[in-house]
Amino acid sequence: MTRLLPSPVNTPFTFWYLTVLLATTALRHVLGETLSARLLELASTDAHNLWHRPVMSLISSALWLGDDGWIIYVIIFTFAVAPLERRIGAGWTCAVFASGHVLATLATELPVMWAIAEGFLPGADGRWLDIGVSYGFFATAGALVPVLARRFRVWAVPALEAGIVVIYLIDAPGTLGGNVTFAGHLIAAHIGMLGWWRWLRRRGVTATLPRPAGPGDRTRPLAGSAAR
């Protein structure tokens, strides 16, 4: 079981990303509630920040968690991000993650920016806390679906989409933030499933996940794996 956990050797992207999230979570406690809240406001990918500092907010928003549930992310990254990284390498896993984070954010926040500019939404709706890694995670989880064996893939798609619905229902259904996040999760998951499907197929990624290498195994390249 411990061989499935992210490591700096086998899954460097997953491991070091979780390390960064642990560091920023700890930093929030060190800085205190007032200062950390201000940092999160500056990092948020809300309409206001995307208009004034788009690149910085897109990058910084993915470095913070909205709560203290870091250990939960260790679990879901272990079973949804690390397995994909073992197949396609750290660089391409980062690309999948970033595509979900950036494209889903723009697809959901640009309409909000337009609605505010046209007067359909109040200016206050351009300032809400939009941080976290969920868009990137759902894109990566979506990209993992075509890699799974067909018998698992049949259940993985409805399970992924049902999970998105559950998150919406327990988060803030009916609010602007809840609706934007719900749409972002769906878009990100389908970016992973559909947007990266042909690329995964061209790379020759097989339909089964590899067994994690044991300490005595010889290191050899996997068919279809990206160079690290």
Side-chain angles (χ1 to χ4, degrees), residues 129-215:
L129 190 60
D130 186 13
I131 60 168
V133 301
S134 59
Y135 292 174
F137 161 73
F138 276 114
T140 310
L144 183 62
V145 171
V147 179
L148 298 174
R150 181 172 298 180
R151 64 182 181 276
F152 298 123
R153 197 184 310 157
V154 171
W155 296 101
V157 174
L160 184 61
E161 296 184 344
I164 292 173
V165 172
V166 170
I167 292 173
Y168 171 71
L169 293 176
I170 65 178
D171 188 14
T175 65
L176 175 65
N179 292 337
V180 168
T181 302
F182 175 63
H185 287 166
L186 285 175
I187 292 170
H190 287 86
I191 285 172
M193 280 190 287
L194 304 179
W196 286 91
W197 177 76
R198 288 186 179 276
W199 181 88
L200 290 169
R201 186 176 181 181
R202 287 199 302 269
R203 297 290 293 186
V205 177
T206 58
T208 56
L209 294 175
R211 177 180 62 85

